Amino acid sequence: MPQSVKVQLVMDVICVHSYLGHTRFARAADRLRAEGLPVAVEFLPFELAPGALADGRPLLEVLEHTFGPQAAAGVLAFAERAAREGLRLEYGKAIATGTFDAHRLIADAARQGKAELMAERLFRAHFTDGLHIGDPATLARLAAEAGITTGHATGTEMRARLDRVRRLGITGVPVFLIENLAPLTGSQTETTLLAALRQAAITKGEHRDH
């Protein structure tokens, strides 16, 4: 059995570029796995809006207040492009919120081998379902739906992990840290991500053969 290619994904579940990047990466990883090459994924937390309140305000209102009236037109145009890749972005329903507790839920899911499943569900909950993913009751419902027990990742542990990511010099997401390769940042195509995973698998095999 070949060794797993190890990948760290630095993302935030309210970041649309992270959602698109995660979707493309997941498709690339599934293609590699179908070829018999395992991919081990770890999520590193990043807060797009550190310290943001989890009070749940309409996202379009927040974007317009922060970036001006043209912000809504920009995100709706992006939603049209994303739809071509199978993502439904319902900005009219989306709720702006902090993501600290959502990252804790992904960390809990990781302990149970379900980080990829949980991250995808949180992205979809926020961008498609219009769910308030800063709300403890919503997070509890999503955890139960995925069969995940919660309460393992402490706030202290999560703050330390967020701090570690900041110390790596990461100031924006998504970032793809694929072992033995230079970091890939920002929007990457599925083709690029698949090629990078294949390259990492080849490099890993060469190291093992020596």
Side-chain angles (χ1 to χ4, degrees), residues 12 25 30 78 109 111 125 149 166 188 206:
D12 194 0
F25 174 82
D30 284 347
F78 188 89
R111 286 174 158 88
T149 59
R166 278 192 294 270
Q188 302 290 332
E206 287 170 352

Side-chain angles (χ1 to χ4, degrees), residues 41-43 101-122 139 142-144 146-153 157-158 161:
V41 178
E42 178 189 1
F43 284 87
D101 287 331
H103 284 301
R104 285 180 64 185
L105 178 51
I106 293 172
D108 281 337
R111 286 174 158 88
Q112 294 154 71
K114 294 183 176 180
E116 291 172 84
L117 171 79
M118 196 71 250
E120 190 282 329
R121 185 65 188 99
L122 285 163
L139 292 174
L142 292 173
I148 290 160
T149 59
T150 58
H152 307 289
E157 177 189 328
M158 189 50 58
R161 293 188 71 200

Side-chain angles (χ1 to χ4, degrees), residues 4-133:
S4 294
V5 174
K6 293 185 175 63
V7 182
Q8 293 176 312
L9 303 179
V10 191
M11 299 185 165
D12 194 0
V13 287
I14 57 165
C15 168
V16 72
H17 298 286
S18 291
Y19 188 17
L20 189 57
H22 177 264
T23 301
R24 290 169 174 172
F25 174 82
R27 289 170 181 164
D30 284 347
R31 285 170 68 179
L32 204 68
R33 287 164 175 155
E35 294 167 14
L37 293 164
V39 181
V41 178
E42 178 189 1
F43 284 87
L44 301 185
F46 184 91
E47 286 181 299
L48 208 59
L53 298 175
D55 57 354
R57 288 168 296 155
L59 178 60
L60 284 179
E61 278 181 28
V62 172
L63 290 174
E64 287 183 354
H65 177 75
T66 307
F67 301 109
Q70 77 287 354
V75 296
L76 295 174
F78 188 89
E80 281 185 32
R81 292 200 301 276
R84 292 179 211 133
E85 298 198 37
L87 291 187
R88 206 170 93 239
L89 305 179
E90 299 281 359
Y91 276 104
K93 294 195 296 187
I95 297 170
T97 185
T99 52
F100 186 84
D101 287 331
H103 284 301
R104 285 180 64 185
L105 178 51
I106 293 172
D108 281 337
R111 286 174 158 88
Q112 294 154 71
K114 294 183 176 180
E116 291 172 84
L117 171 79
M118 196 71 250
E120 190 282 329
R121 185 65 188 99
L122 285 163
F123 278 124
R124 189 158 37 92
H126 176 68
F127 283 105
T128 304
D129 300 337
L131 297 178
H132 179 191
I133 62 167

